[in-house]
Amino acid sequence: MRNKEMKDRNKISGIFFGLITAVALIVGCAKDKGNYDYVELNALKISTDMTNADPAVFITPDSIALRQNDNLKIKIKVDTSLGDPGSLSYHWLVTQYLQSAANPPKLTFANTADFDAKIPLAPNLYKLVVKVTSNKTGVSYYKTFILNVSGSEWGGEGWLVLQEQSGGSDVSVITTRDGGGKGKIFHDVYFTANGHKLPVGTSKVNVINYATSLNAQKVSFFYPNGGIQVRSIDFADSTRAENWFVPGSLTGTNFQANGSGGGSAAGWEYVIVNNQIAYRQLQSVAHLANTPVFLPPYAGLTIAPYVLNGAASDQFYTLFDKVNSAFVLFNASTGAFLNIPAYAGGAANLNATTGSGFDMKNMPDDLIYAENAQPYTIGNTYWNCFFRNDAGTNTTLIQFPRSTGYLNNFATGRFQLKEANCPGINTATIFANNTSLLPPRGVFYYVNGNKIYTCTVNNLATSTAIEGLTFPAGTIIKAMKTFNSGYTAANILSQGVPEGKVLVVATDETASGAGNKVYFFNLSTTGSILGTPSTPADVYTGFNKITDITFKKALGK
């Protein structure tokens, strides 16, 4: 029995030592790399070729900073541990930077080894990813760039110049505030963003500034039977007028005005279409993400295409009722009219020649132009309203502070503008107000033919006008605006903004061979125009036929 146990033990020991020997042999062979071929996984190594990279764009080989709509060029180097990996496939795409953010609308940008494309993305931080796939193994490798897109130069502060072109219209941007510093001109920015022109006949450009805290702004264009709103940072993301309203609620297609008081937390925006007013409120980030439609145009009220309002309470609209020749006061936040009582002043105030008062509910002539005569930063902003009779023989200026309620007892504010003292006033085509002078009275500018007149407002019929600018014979003055930035009072003061102290004029001088121009003229402390067409503060050329101009402030100011 003992002999049998000894034999079993020896057998087990032999097996155990045999296993140890086999393991030792295997380990020994694994270390002997010199005698065998061993295959590692094929790894593609992707890096940035910085040989000709723009140092202003490539902050590091993996970090890129550029402006919206700039062209980006990237060359990459692909190394492989096995030499030639066979043919490669490339795929470039952009994703959101933060996991919680939404992906950009355009993801795929290229399928070539070198990246060469325009970046139309809205200002933000993104990831630019290149996927390189070996067609031999089917394995893909990735390289990620951090892509910081800032606003395009033409998406910030500047003057918008709307122009007619063959087959449509487009807009240029002059990146200057007041002509004090030479700006750049960026042409055809709408086409750059959208790949097509504005519709034929586009004649009006508007800037809508929402509540400053929202950092939001829109630009709208009007054309025959319609309108379009675009994103102000790049002139893309268009929404057409038929989508601004509940289907079936739009009763007319003649779009005439679009704007807001600007800066108010209330955030009311208006549009006048077919001489009727419609409005909507944008006062939150939620409203920006899901823009509300305009309420239907207010039926039963036919108004002149001007809205007297202010940033401090921009839901109160003072409008001019064309049918009843009367001012009306409308509260957009309640959708109700506020009563303007019967005239409560003395009858002598309304005398046609010796009085200077006016009855808001009984205005004898037609409102031909209205514009603020002070910056919107003033609580109850003064407005200048120009009236003319049907025969074109009498022009009157009505000046009063816009309010949220009227007693209708004005004893002053009516100024008779006579041809004897104000040449060409009864056929003046364009008006602009100096907003740097303290009302009442002040100074305004008007166009007649190739001349711009400066009119000093005086009591009764004693206002006087002089030639401020005379352009070459045959010149057509297409647009004229004083510089009204729309900035908050704090930014106007801190940045030294020359509010109301610059006159901007767009001309068609093709008759004299000088083309189409945009001039900047400084205004003196008394409102006089400084310089001449030969010696302006600045002038810009190279435009097509200009139809309208307007200033667009920078966001958040």
Side-chain angles (χ1 to χ4, degrees), residues 415-433:
F415 305 94
Q416 304 163 39
L417 306 176
K418 299 298 183 180
E419 284 276 351
N421 299 329
C422 305
I425 190 65
N426 289 331
T427 51
T429 55
I430 304 174
F431 296 87
N433 294 322

mmCIF file of all heavy atoms in Angstrom, residues 415-433:
data_model
loop_
_atom_site.group_PDB
_atom_site.id
_atom_site.type_symbol
_atom_site.label_atom_id
_atom_site.label_comp_id
_atom_site.label_asym_id
_atom_site.label_seq_id
_atom_site.Cartn_x
_atom_site.Cartn_y
_atom_site.Cartn_z
ATOM 1 N N PHE A 415 -44.524 125.645 -35.322
ATOM 2 C CA PHE A 415 -43.629 126.595 -35.996
ATOM 3 C C PHE A 415 -43.981 126.616 -37.480
ATOM 4 O O PHE A 415 -43.997 125.569 -38.146
ATOM 5 C CB PHE A 415 -42.169 126.180 -35.803
ATOM 6 C CG PHE A 415 -41.782 126.006 -34.358
ATOM 7 C CD1 PHE A 415 -41.843 124.754 -33.749
ATOM 8 C CD2 PHE A 415 -41.380 127.089 -33.600
ATOM 9 C CE1 PHE A 415 -41.495 124.583 -32.421
ATOM 10 C CE2 PHE A 415 -41.029 126.927 -32.260
ATOM 11 C CZ PHE A 415 -41.091 125.671 -31.668
ATOM 12 N N GLN A 416 -44.257 127.800 -37.992
ATOM 13 C CA GLN A 416 -44.623 127.955 -39.390
ATOM 14 C C GLN A 416 -43.360 128.113 -40.236
ATOM 15 O O GLN A 416 -42.556 129.007 -39.995
ATOM 16 C CB GLN A 416 -45.534 129.172 -39.543
ATOM 17 C CG GLN A 416 -46.785 129.119 -38.679
ATOM 18 C CD GLN A 416 -47.434 130.473 -38.534
ATOM 19 O OE1 GLN A 416 -47.484 131.251 -39.490
ATOM 20 N NE2 GLN A 416 -47.931 130.788 -37.333
ATOM 21 N N LEU A 417 -43.185 127.226 -41.199
ATOM 22 C CA LEU A 417 -41.995 127.242 -42.050
ATOM 23 C C LEU A 417 -42.375 127.861 -43.392
ATOM 24 O O LEU A 417 -43.155 127.278 -44.160
ATOM 25 C CB LEU A 417 -41.461 125.815 -42.234
ATOM 26 C CG LEU A 417 -41.198 125.045 -40.925
ATOM 27 C CD1 LEU A 417 -40.777 123.615 -41.225
ATOM 28 C CD2 LEU A 417 -40.152 125.754 -40.070
ATOM 29 N N LYS A 418 -41.845 129.042 -43.663
ATOM 30 C CA LYS A 418 -42.233 129.804 -44.840
ATOM 31 C C LYS A 418 -41.135 129.803 -45.893
ATOM 32 O O LYS A 418 -39.944 129.890 -45.575
ATOM 33 C CB LYS A 418 -42.561 131.251 -44.440
ATOM 34 C CG LYS A 418 -43.714 131.390 -43.453
ATOM 35 C CD LYS A 418 -45.010 130.855 -44.049
ATOM 36 C CE LYS A 418 -46.184 131.060 -43.104
ATOM 37 N NZ LYS A 418 -47.461 130.550 -43.674
ATOM 38 N N GLU A 419 -41.556 129.722 -47.158
ATOM 39 C CA GLU A 419 -40.605 129.716 -48.276
ATOM 40 C C GLU A 419 -39.712 130.954 -48.269
ATOM 41 O O GLU A 419 -38.545 130.884 -48.652
ATOM 42 C CB GLU A 419 -41.360 129.637 -49.606
ATOM 43 C CG GLU A 419 -41.899 128.261 -49.942
ATOM 44 C CD GLU A 419 -40.861 127.363 -50.607
ATOM 45 O OE1 GLU A 419 -39.782 127.873 -50.958
ATOM 46 O OE2 GLU A 419 -41.139 126.164 -50.769
ATOM 47 N N ALA A 420 -40.229 132.088 -47.844
ATOM 48 C CA ALA A 420 -39.445 133.324 -47.866
ATOM 49 C C ALA A 420 -38.206 133.210 -46.979
ATOM 50 O O ALA A 420 -37.146 133.757 -47.303
ATOM 51 C CB ALA A 420 -40.310 134.491 -47.407
ATOM 52 N N ASN A 421 -38.336 132.499 -45.876
ATOM 53 C CA ASN A 421 -37.210 132.342 -44.953
ATOM 54 C C ASN A 421 -36.533 130.978 -45.062
ATOM 55 O O ASN A 421 -35.375 130.819 -44.676
ATOM 56 C CB ASN A 421 -37.682 132.527 -43.503
ATOM 57 C CG ASN A 421 -38.258 133.894 -43.252
ATOM 58 O OD1 ASN A 421 -37.848 134.870 -43.869
ATOM 59 N ND2 ASN A 421 -39.228 133.974 -42.347
ATOM 60 N N CYS A 422 -37.262 129.993 -45.600
ATOM 61 C CA CYS A 422 -36.752 128.614 -45.708
ATOM 62 C C CYS A 422 -36.917 128.163 -47.159
ATOM 63 O O CYS A 422 -37.920 127.509 -47.513
ATOM 64 C CB CYS A 422 -37.517 127.680 -44.768
ATOM 65 S SG CYS A 422 -37.528 128.205 -43.046
ATOM 66 N N PRO A 423 -35.968 128.518 -48.021
ATOM 67 C CA PRO A 423 -36.104 128.225 -49.453
ATOM 68 C C PRO A 423 -36.323 126.743 -49.724
ATOM 69 O O PRO A 423 -35.620 125.878 -49.184
ATOM 70 C CB PRO A 423 -34.772 128.698 -50.035
ATOM 71 C CG PRO A 423 -34.244 129.690 -49.041
ATOM 72 C CD PRO A 423 -34.701 129.199 -47.709
ATOM 73 N N GLY A 424 -37.330 126.452 -50.551
ATOM 74 C CA GLY A 424 -37.580 125.074 -50.967
ATOM 75 C C GLY A 424 -38.216 124.192 -49.913
ATOM 76 O O GLY A 424 -38.337 122.974 -50.117
ATOM 77 N N ILE A 425 -38.697 124.754 -48.805
ATOM 78 C CA ILE A 425 -39.229 123.931 -47.717
ATOM 79 C C ILE A 425 -40.499 123.185 -48.132
ATOM 80 O O ILE A 425 -40.740 122.050 -47.690
ATOM 81 C CB ILE A 425 -39.496 124.780 -46.447
ATOM 82 C CG1 ILE A 425 -39.816 123.880 -45.245
ATOM 83 C CG2 ILE A 425 -40.602 125.797 -46.689
ATOM 84 C CD1 ILE A 425 -38.688 122.999 -44.814
ATOM 85 N N ASN A 426 -41.310 123.795 -49.008
ATOM 86 C CA ASN A 426 -42.569 123.157 -49.386
ATOM 87 C C ASN A 426 -42.387 122.010 -50.372
ATOM 88 O O ASN A 426 -43.343 121.258 -50.622
ATOM 89 C CB ASN A 426 -43.540 124.196 -49.963
ATOM 90 C CG ASN A 426 -44.073 125.127 -48.891
ATOM 91 O OD1 ASN A 426 -44.180 124.748 -47.729
ATOM 92 N ND2 ASN A 426 -44.394 126.363 -49.278
ATOM 93 N N THR A 427 -41.192 121.877 -50.927
ATOM 94 C CA THR A 427 -40.904 120.745 -51.815
ATOM 95 C C THR A 427 -39.711 119.940 -51.305
ATOM 96 O O THR A 427 -39.121 119.153 -52.046
ATOM 97 C CB THR A 427 -40.624 121.239 -53.254
ATOM 98 O OG1 THR A 427 -39.633 122.281 -53.223
ATOM 99 C CG2 THR A 427 -41.890 121.773 -53.902
ATOM 100 N N ALA A 428 -39.375 120.130 -50.035
ATOM 101 C CA ALA A 428 -38.276 119.368 -49.435
ATOM 102 C C ALA A 428 -38.621 117.881 -49.442
ATOM 103 O O ALA A 428 -39.770 117.492 -49.215
ATOM 104 C CB ALA A 428 -38.018 119.850 -48.011
ATOM 105 N N THR A 429 -37.623 117.055 -49.711
ATOM 106 C CA THR A 429 -37.863 115.617 -49.875
ATOM 107 C C THR A 429 -37.361 114.767 -48.718
ATOM 108 O O THR A 429 -37.866 113.667 -48.493
ATOM 109 C CB THR A 429 -37.182 115.125 -51.162
ATOM 110 O OG1 THR A 429 -35.792 115.480 -51.134
ATOM 111 C CG2 THR A 429 -37.834 115.754 -52.383
ATOM 112 N N ILE A 430 -36.337 115.230 -47.998
ATOM 113 C CA ILE A 430 -35.751 114.453 -46.910
ATOM 114 C C ILE A 430 -35.500 115.381 -45.729
ATOM 115 O O ILE A 430 -35.058 116.519 -45.915
ATOM 116 C CB ILE A 430 -34.421 113.789 -47.340
ATOM 117 C CG1 ILE A 430 -34.614 112.921 -48.595
ATOM 118 C CG2 ILE A 430 -33.840 112.938 -46.212
ATOM 119 C CD1 ILE A 430 -33.315 112.359 -49.159
ATOM 120 N N PHE A 431 -35.765 114.892 -44.523
ATOM 121 C CA PHE A 431 -35.529 115.663 -43.305
ATOM 122 C C PHE A 431 -34.625 114.867 -42.365
ATOM 123 O O PHE A 431 -34.620 113.635 -42.370
ATOM 124 C CB PHE A 431 -36.843 115.970 -42.586
ATOM 125 C CG PHE A 431 -37.795 116.840 -43.356
ATOM 126 C CD1 PHE A 431 -38.695 116.276 -44.255
ATOM 127 C CD2 PHE A 431 -37.794 118.214 -43.182
ATOM 128 C CE1 PHE A 431 -39.579 117.072 -44.957
ATOM 129 C CE2 PHE A 431 -38.670 119.021 -43.887
ATOM 130 C CZ PHE A 431 -39.562 118.451 -44.776
ATOM 131 N N ALA A 432 -33.881 115.594 -41.526
ATOM 132 C CA ALA A 432 -33.092 114.976 -40.460
ATOM 133 C C ALA A 432 -32.998 115.968 -39.315
ATOM 134 O O ALA A 432 -32.918 117.183 -39.539
ATOM 135 C CB ALA A 432 -31.692 114.599 -40.950
ATOM 136 N N ASN A 433 -33.006 115.464 -38.088
ATOM 137 C CA ASN A 433 -33.016 116.332 -36.909
ATOM 138 C C ASN A 433 -31.684 116.289 -36.174
ATOM 139 O O ASN A 433 -31.088 115.223 -36.000
ATOM 140 C CB ASN A 433 -34.122 115.900 -35.934
ATOM 141 C CG ASN A 433 -35.501 116.117 -36.511
ATOM 142 O OD1 ASN A 433 -35.754 117.101 -37.195
ATOM 143 N ND2 ASN A 433 -36.405 115.192 -36.240
#
